Amino acid sequence: MVLPGGEPKPTGPATDGTGPARSRERFLQGEPVETGVRASILNSWQRCGSLGLSPDQDDLPFRDDFDPDGRIVRAAVPVLDRLQSRFAGSAMNISVADANGTVLLRRFGEASLARALPAIQRVPGFVFAERVAGTNGIGLALAERRLIRVYGAEHFAERSQGSACRALPVRDPLSGRIEGVLCFGYPRSAEDPALDAVIRKAAKAIERRLLGQSSARGRALLRAYLDAGARTAAGLHHGVGVDELALELHPRDRSVLVGKATELISRGDRAAVDVHLSDGRRVTLVSRPVRSASGVAGIAIEAFLPALSPGKSLSVPHQADEPLGLPADLADISGGPLLGAVHAAPVPELRSVTASSGLLPVAESGQGVTITDSDDVTDHRPDSPPPARGLVLVGEPHVGTYALAARRRLELLSETSTRIGTTLDIRRTAEELAETAVPRLADFVTIDLPEAVLRGEEAADPGGDLRRTVVHGIRDDLPFRPVGKRVDYGPTTPHLRCLTSGQAVLEPDLKAAAGWLAQDPEHTEQLLSHVHSLIAVPLVARGVALGIAGFYRGQDPAPFGDDDRSLAQELATRAALSIDNARRYTRERTMVLALQHSLLPHGLPDQDSVEVAHRYLPAESDVGGDWYDVVPLSGTRVGLFVGDVVGHGMLSAATMGRLRTAARSFAELDFPPDDVLTHLDNLVGRLDREDPVSDGGGIIGATCLYAIYDPTTQQCTMARAGHPPPAVVHPDGAVSFPDLPAGPPLGLGGLPFEATEIHLPEGSQLVLYTDGLIEDRQRDVDMVLDQLRGALAHPERTPEEACQAVLDTVAPAHPCDDIALLVARTHALDPSRIATWDLPADPALVSDVRASAVRQLADWGLDEAAFAAELMLSELVTNAIRHGAGPIRVRLLHDRTLICEVSDTSNTAPHLRRAASTDEGGRGLFLVAQLAQSWGTRYLPQGKVIWAECGLAGV
């Protein structure tokens, strides 16, 4: 056996432990294979192994969706019929497959060969692609994109070990795309090196028949160009066309080259342009006129690649030159006259339009075309090699103009998917539609949307409440109605007609558009001096009318045409889907925002302990579960909450509402901060376990900070559960962040929370916030905390002013998480409004306490409250002496109400009950409850406090 371009190599079973059979055996056993087999075959085996193919697999996939009358079939049938006649009586079988490896045609030199094949391989449709059939002629030819030969043991499958084959890709001579594969199969013993020439010439005959299916005008232009090259080939080098670099070029570079070539053809004159590739190389495209013998005038685009330095060569696939004619034994295979000398490297990627359109992407390196001095685009020095050159496109200028316009429309539609719908904002999406269309389709664009759509709803009458949403164009001084104004269209206007019909309405000449002119004569007269053509397109998505887009042309003298109307309709359809997505999102976000706001405090309670201001800022993308609360507590104290439920959306907002309600309830029970967080932690864990979505795995998480401020002592007790620490602004302007024990987030369970007590002088500010204020992907947390410190270092500011300053200077411009902010300025209760008595547990002292309390109330001017206060103190002190443990402390607080407190060191709490008519006691607390506005128990580290409040409205 003789390999093409190589030395003779033994075939068949290896006798010396080498050769394809031994190499295949070693490969299948997983041993390394380095010699004894060609690189292309070894690479194919490795691909088959990586795909998990078995050499014993006999079944091949079958397809029935191929075109039985496709281009490759029509071109190949006469050639295969002549090949069958040539190989009659031999063991040869000839196949033609498409570019996917599906066999479309099959001929046999001996009819009995077909009966030896499996039934599925006797009819067209079975697939011989490498990925399913392993190493074989058709599959490897498609993978290697060149003439290949597979012999005996080089096949991957066991079924093919006794066979040999040659296969060659068949390309469209104009586009260079691989249309199929021609394959010769025969017994291993019938190997003949002369088959290489036969299969090449047969494939060339099929390719020429493919060329014959292109347009006559296109073939005439190509023949004229090639004839000119044949007449002037003497002395010129063989060029390397852009097609031979196609496998190296980035797809974007190939697209740019074809686009520039099409543009040069549309210009219709001599020109040259440099195209810089993404890898830094440069290709020069030159356009030159050509004229066929029949008078067809066109433009040929040649590519010139820079000359290489001596000793270097282009890294391009080697392509062997083929003779232009056929030998006598195959002279009639093509079945018709030959159509020019088209040969060499194909370019599957360099194709912009079909040959029938008049633009011919040519997969050829011509023998050369004469160019004058004015045409030469390179510097030819005697000591430097000439530049490589090749034909890229041939076409007629008017066809190039159409092709260029079509290409630009396709590019515009392609950009639509990336430029429109980048946000879920209705107005911004409408602006993106206008920005995409100007200036490539229109000079000016107006978009009108109903007020309901802007709110996220469906418009009951889309044409009845339109608002000008976007005005965009190449200039800003045109007399279009401004954004925000109501727009009313009459029934005869193009805008309302398009909305009624659901189709774009074209008015190529606005001066003749009676319905548009009658709408507003004065306004339209002003516009006519700037615009002359209009396309009105309805914005419709999912059957919902969303508004109207108006495309105006004024600077471009050419009016809109039907192609422009189709393009505007397509742009509007795609944009309408994005607008509808934004509308639906707006509706859902509005609902969640409404829920969120309904669950947040609707005003602050009346109390004098702190002066409070608050802000809630939802995230741009979605609403989360941030919350805050202010809870008045007994003894003039106040509780301050801020929290954050993990996640966004309706579930987080609902969970926030449940958590805030529970937190307020726990706080009103006078639990200390660490106990409140413990109860909330248990609640979140229970919500997780009960949630059917979480399946007990835990999906709810939250953080919280709770602070209790006591104006009588100016002490603040705080605890946090995974929440950022608060900021404290001292009266002198110093800002600090107390080092509170972090605590785990709510819902983890098992870990205790710790409370810390700090002193807050009167006039201090306590600032509580959620992590959305300080955490941002684009900013460093420490830097943000420094900004927060600077914004708060102004003690003269009111809480309202401090809130606004923080949002203006610290909050991110586009928050991706909710922000809750609570600023509380502390006040102290005047010591003159506090009265305290300490006494032992002696019943005889109860009357002394009552008398002292009455005198104190008289000093405060609360004589009218003395009777009720005297009775309540008598009962509370008596209960403390009888059921508690001394010492006992009595305290009166004069705030918005009169507060009576009695504390002892016992942890037993009194319970209100209804006494029977025969009971001698048990009516004391009932009396307290009737006289007091409210009463309750507060526990201390040592003991408890029983308190009761008396209203002072009538005092």
Side-chain angles (χ1 to χ4, degrees):
M1 181 180 77
V2 179
L3 295 179
E7 297 296 327
K9 174 179 277 293
T11 61
T15 57
D16 56 355
T18 63
R22 176 55 182 158
S23 297
R24 178 176 178 276
E25 180 181 348
R26 293 177 58 196
F27 175 81
L28 294 177
Q29 292 175 354
E31 299 179 14
V33 177
E34 298 179 355
T35 59
V37 64
R38 289 179 289 157
S40 60
I41 299 297
L42 179 58
N43 292 339
S44 178
W45 289 353
Q46 292 171 344
R47 291 193 295 269
C48 297
S50 65
L51 292 171
L53 299 180
S54 170
D56 299 323
Q57 181 177 350
D58 289 329
D59 296 335
L60 292 175
F62 180 83
R63 295 179 53 189
D64 58 3
D65 58 346
F66 65 91
D67 185 0
D69 193 36
R71 296 183 66 230
I72 186 67
V73 173
R74 296 198 308 272
V77 165
V79 179
L80 262 63
D81 290 342
R82 288 168 174 75
L83 285 171
Q84 183 180 29
S85 176
R86 170 181 168 82
F87 291 107
S90 71
M92 179 70 69
N93 69 82
I94 307 120
S95 303
V96 169
D98 64 13
N100 297 315
T102 302
V103 174
L104 307 177
L105 296 170
R106 198 157 212 188
R107 298 289 190 272
F108 298 94
E110 178 62 47
S112 61
L113 291 175
R115 292 190 292 271
L117 294 174
I120 195 174
Q121 296 186 26
R122 300 174 190 171
V123 295
F126 65 90
V127 182
F128 255 132
E130 184 184 76
R131 67 182 182 277
V132 295
T135 306
N136 69 87
I138 293 174
L140 191 55
L142 289 172
E144 295 285 328
R145 304 171 69 87
R146 61 183 177 86
L147 174 65
I148 59 91
R149 184 187 64 87
V150 183
Y151 183 88
E154 292 179 336
H155 289 88
F156 186 77
E158 289 289 347
R159 63 175 179 270
S160 303
Q161 298 298 294
S163 304
C165 65
R166 278 173 166 78
L168 179 65
V170 177
R171 302 176 184 266
D172 185 332
L174 298 179
S175 70
R177 184 178 60 240
I178 293 178
E179 294 286 341
V181 177
L182 175 63
C183 180
F184 288 178
Y186 44 89
R188 190 171 62 182
S189 58
E191 173 64 32
D192 184 353
L195 289 176
D196 278 357
V198 177
I199 196 171
R200 286 182 186 274
K201 293 170 177 59
K204 193 64 61 179
I206 298 175
E207 290 175 352
R208 290 189 172 96
R209 291 187 59 84
L210 287 173
L211 180 63
Q213 297 177 19
S214 61
S215 70
R217 296 176 67 89
R219 295 199 306 273
L221 287 176
L222 180 60
R223 184 194 295 248
Y225 174 84
L226 296 176
D227 288 346
R231 292 193 302 271
T232 59
L236 293 180
H237 71 291
H238 177 71
V240 177
V242 177
D243 54 288
E244 290 180 303
L245 295 177
L247 297 178
E248 297 179 359
L249 292 181
H250 189 279
R252 182 173 60 254
D253 291 334
R254 294 194 292 268
S255 177
V256 169
L257 283 174
V258 173
K260 288 293 183 181
T262 306
E263 185 176 349
L264 287 175
I265 289 178
S266 67
R267 290 159 63 174
D269 56 7
R270 291 179 180 270
V273 62
D274 286 339
V275 180
H276 294 275
L277 306 180
S278 57
D279 59 3
R281 290 182 295 172
R282 174 177 57 85
V283 175
T284 300
L285 297 180
V286 177
S287 63
R288 65 184 70 256
V290 293
R291 181 176 294 274
S292 69
S294 60
V296 178
I299 299 292
I301 307 298
E302 291 180 312
F304 288 79
L305 293 141
L308 301 176
S309 303
K312 294 185 178 181
S313 61
L314 283 171
S315 299
V316 296
H318 174 72
Q319 301 289 340
D321 295 337
E322 294 299 322
L324 303 183
L326 293 177
D329 58 352
L330 285 178
D332 59 345
I333 285 181
S334 65
L338 302 184
L339 297 174
V342 180
H343 62 284
V347 191
E349 293 83 357
L350 289 182
R351 178 178 177 84
S352 62
V353 293
T354 60
S356 61
S357 70
L359 284 184
L360 305 183
V362 180
E364 295 306 318
S365 294
Q367 292 290 343
V369 175
T370 301
I371 56 178
T372 64
D373 293 339
S374 62
D375 293 333
D376 202 347
V377 295
T378 57
D379 182 15
H380 294 275
R381 294 189 299 271
D383 57 346
S384 65
R389 61 191 294 181
L391 181 63
V392 179
L393 289 177
V394 173
E396 299 177 66
H398 68 281
V399 178
T401 301
Y402 295 145
L404 184 61
R407 182 183 183 88
R408 288 175 176 171
R409 291 189 179 99
L410 289 175
E411 290 173 350
L412 182 58
L413 288 176
S414 177
E415 289 181 14
T416 302
S417 59
T418 58
R419 294 189 59 182
I420 300 179
T422 59
T423 69
L424 288 172
D425 181 83
I426 296 175
R427 287 180 173 84
R428 180 58 195 148
T429 304
E431 291 171 356
E432 289 170 342
L433 168 60
E435 292 168 359
T436 302
V438 175
R440 298 168 67 177
L441 172 62
D443 296 326
F444 304 96
V445 174
T446 62
I447 298 177
D448 307 314
L449 302 178
E451 186 69 28
V453 170
L454 294 173
R455 295 194 304 266
E457 305 168 3
E458 291 187 12
D461 181 12
D465 188 22
L466 289 171
R467 299 284 175 175
R468 179 57 47 87
T469 307
V470 175
V471 177
H472 181 70
I474 57 177
R475 292 166 49 193
D476 298 330
D477 57 348
L478 293 194
F480 289 105
R481 285 187 175 84
V483 172
K485 293 294 184 180
R486 181 185 175 98
V487 182
D488 294 313
Y489 292 115
T492 60
T493 60
H495 301 79
L496 206 58
R497 283 158 47 206
C498 81
L499 199 60
T500 304
S501 65
Q503 299 295 323
V505 174
L506 170 63
E507 291 288 357
D509 184 5
L510 285 177
K511 293 182 179 179
W516 185 74
L517 293 172
Q519 168 70 17
D520 188 349
E522 182 179 353
H523 184 246
T524 53
E525 186 65 28
Q526 296 175 353
L527 278 179
L528 281 177
S529 61
H530 302 283
V531 298
H532 59 76
S533 190
L534 164 68
I535 301 176
V537 189
L539 297 172
V540 180
R542 303 182 178 98
V544 178
L546 303 172
I548 303 170
F551 299 87
Y552 295 86
R553 182 169 288 178
Q555 185 175 12
D556 189 342
F560 285 124
D562 288 333
D563 289 341
D564 298 314
R565 176 174 55 184
S566 299
L567 178 59
Q569 180 85 57
E570 182 65 25
L571 281 176
T573 300
R574 299 189 183 191
L577 188 62
S578 297
I579 292 175
D580 192 49
N581 291 338
R583 180 191 65 82
R584 290 166 176 253
Y585 168 77
T586 300
R587 180 186 60 190
E588 298 297 330
R589 188 171 188 269
T590 301
M591 293 172 57
V592 177
L593 269 175
L595 174 63
Q596 174 86 339
H597 284 294
S598 68
L599 297 175
L600 289 174
H602 288 238
L604 298 177
D606 294 332
Q607 48 81 38
D608 295 329
S609 300
V610 290
E611 179 187 353
V612 180
H614 55 84
R615 294 288 189 277
Y616 171 73
L617 185 65
E620 281 194 350
S621 58
D622 205 351
V623 178
D626 291 16
W627 59 281
Y628 59 88
D629 208 350
V630 179
V631 184
L633 303 176
S634 64
T636 69
R637 298 171 307 135
V638 64
L640 304 174
F641 276 106
V642 67
D644 183 5
V645 176
V646 175
H648 295 85
M650 190 75 75
L651 176 62
S652 294
T655 304
M656 178 275 291
R658 301 169 72 180
L659 195 60
R660 174 180 169 259
T661 301
R664 189 178 186 90
S665 300
F666 295 143
E668 289 177 341
L669 291 174
D670 267 327
F671 292 144
D674 50 341
D675 285 352
V676 169
L677 294 183
T678 299
H679 287 295
L680 290 176
D681 181 61
N682 294 333
L683 172 65
V684 172
R686 185 166 64 254
L687 292 177
D688 252 347
R689 292 190 296 271
E690 294 174 355
D691 194 314
V693 178
S694 69
D695 195 23
I699 62 170
I700 301 175
T703 65
C704 184
L705 188 151
Y706 180 38
I708 297 178
Y709 173 68
D710 188 346
T712 64
T713 62
Q714 300 177 36
Q715 294 295 113
C716 184
T717 306
M718 296 180 285
R720 63 187 179 121
H723 202 84
V728 175
V729 184
H730 298 274
D732 61 357
V735 180
S736 63
F737 297 92
D739 186 15
L740 303 182
L746 300 177
L748 296 183
L751 296 176
F753 300 96
E754 299 181 44
T756 300
E757 189 173 75
I758 63 174
H759 180 69
L760 293 180
E762 185 174 11
S764 300
Q765 287 187 353
L766 185 64
V767 182
L768 284 65
Y769 52 88
T770 55
D771 56 3
L773 178 67
I774 62 173
E775 294 183 3
D776 184 56
R777 297 191 185 105
Q778 310 299 326
R779 304 185 298 172
D780 180 72
V781 174
D782 293 334
M783 183 181 300
V784 176
L785 290 177
D786 289 340
Q787 293 176 350
L788 179 60
R789 182 180 286 108
L792 294 174
H794 298 276
E796 73 282 359
R797 288 174 175 166
T798 65
E800 284 288 341
E801 293 171 343
C803 276
Q804 195 59 47
V806 169
L807 292 184
D808 290 342
T809 60
V810 182
H814 303 283
C816 58
D817 195 6
D818 291 21
I819 297 174
L821 178 64
L822 188 68
V823 178
R825 171 171 285 170
T826 63
H827 297 291
L829 185 63
D830 190 340
S832 64
R833 288 173 169 261
I834 304 173
T836 306
W837 298 275
D838 293 318
L839 62 152
D842 184 356
L845 299 177
V846 174
S847 60
D848 295 339
V849 172
R850 291 203 311 263
S852 299
V854 170
R855 287 193 298 271
Q856 183 63 61
L857 293 178
D859 292 342
W860 286 343
L862 303 177
D863 297 290
E864 294 187 13
F867 177 74
E870 185 179 6
L871 288 177
M872 288 189 299
L873 281 176
S874 178
E875 179 61 31
L876 293 178
V877 172
T878 300
N879 279 344
I881 293 173
R882 287 183 177 180
H883 307 292
I888 296 172
R889 168 169 287 191
V890 178
R891 189 171 71 160
L892 294 180
L893 303 176
H894 180 198
D895 191 39
R896 291 173 178 263
T897 60
L898 176 64
I899 303 171
C900 304
E901 295 183 345
V902 177
S903 62
D904 63 70
T905 58
S906 171
N907 289 324
T908 60
H911 297 282
L912 180 66
R913 66 182 180 87
R914 183 177 296 275
S917 59
T918 57
D919 290 343
E920 295 183 359
R923 296 176 178 84
L925 281 181
F926 182 78
L927 181 62
V928 171
Q930 293 298 311
L931 293 174
Q933 181 176 292
S934 60
W935 73 282
T937 303
R938 180 172 76 250
Y939 288 93
L940 303 174
Q942 294 84 27
K944 66 180 181 299
V945 176
I946 309 298
W947 57 270
E949 289 188 11
C950 292
L952 302 178
V955 178

